[in-house]
Amino acid sequence: QPRGTRGESGGQTGCTYDISNKHRLGYSEVQLVQTMIDGVNKLYEEDLELQKKIYEFPTFLSVNSLVAKYVTKELWDKLCRHVTSTSGFTLRKAVICAIELDNQSNGVYAGDWDSYKDFAEVFDPLIQEYHGWRASSNQPVRSSLENLPDLTILFWEWRSLFVSNLWMIISFSCLGMPT
């Protein structure tokens, strides 16, 4: 009976557990240590099985997503073991939302700049279909905040007319930086 470090009903904290006296009484130290060794071996075997499943071609719950359209088993097998150098991002991490959620239109996220080049065979056709930009296209870059329109005035005028709540999310993937 595993229990937390604060007693029978104290709950566990972090990765520290205590084993109830009820399960230790009547056993020798050798038996208790062997039980622990058996438990660790079982956890190791289960971990190995889970590691194998990480590389299996996933079932995408977002069946109509662009990920489901472009990530084929062959492409998955080619890229699934690759890890980006900047932040250790993987293809599985990039497409996890299309695997676990059934409402994604794209279903892919870049974890860092390397994701775009390392997983280009996934990102390039997705970006081209969704945004209409080819991988070889150059998008205009605004080099300073001075070039941006004054969104504050626009926001307050717009909000007073129609909007009750507004969230703006802007993210950039910069070379050498995780997003």
Side-chain angles (χ1 to χ4, degrees), residues 40-88:
V40 168
N41 286 334
K42 181 67 174 166
L43 288 172
Y44 178 72
E45 291 169 11
E46 289 176 2
D47 186 59
L48 288 177
E49 289 301 313
L50 284 173
Q51 287 179 32
K52 290 177 189 173
K53 289 182 181 180
I54 287 174
Y55 301 119
E56 290 177 1
F57 184 67
T59 300
F60 297 109
L61 291 183
S62 290
V63 294
N64 296 317
S65 68
L66 293 177
V67 163
K69 178 178 180 179
Y70 288 108
V71 178
T72 63
K73 180 168 180 0
E74 294 77 22
L75 189 55
W76 178 267
D77 290 342
K78 178 180 177 182
L79 299 173
C80 70
R81 286 180 166 72
H82 181 76
V83 177
T84 63
S85 60
T86 302
S87 67

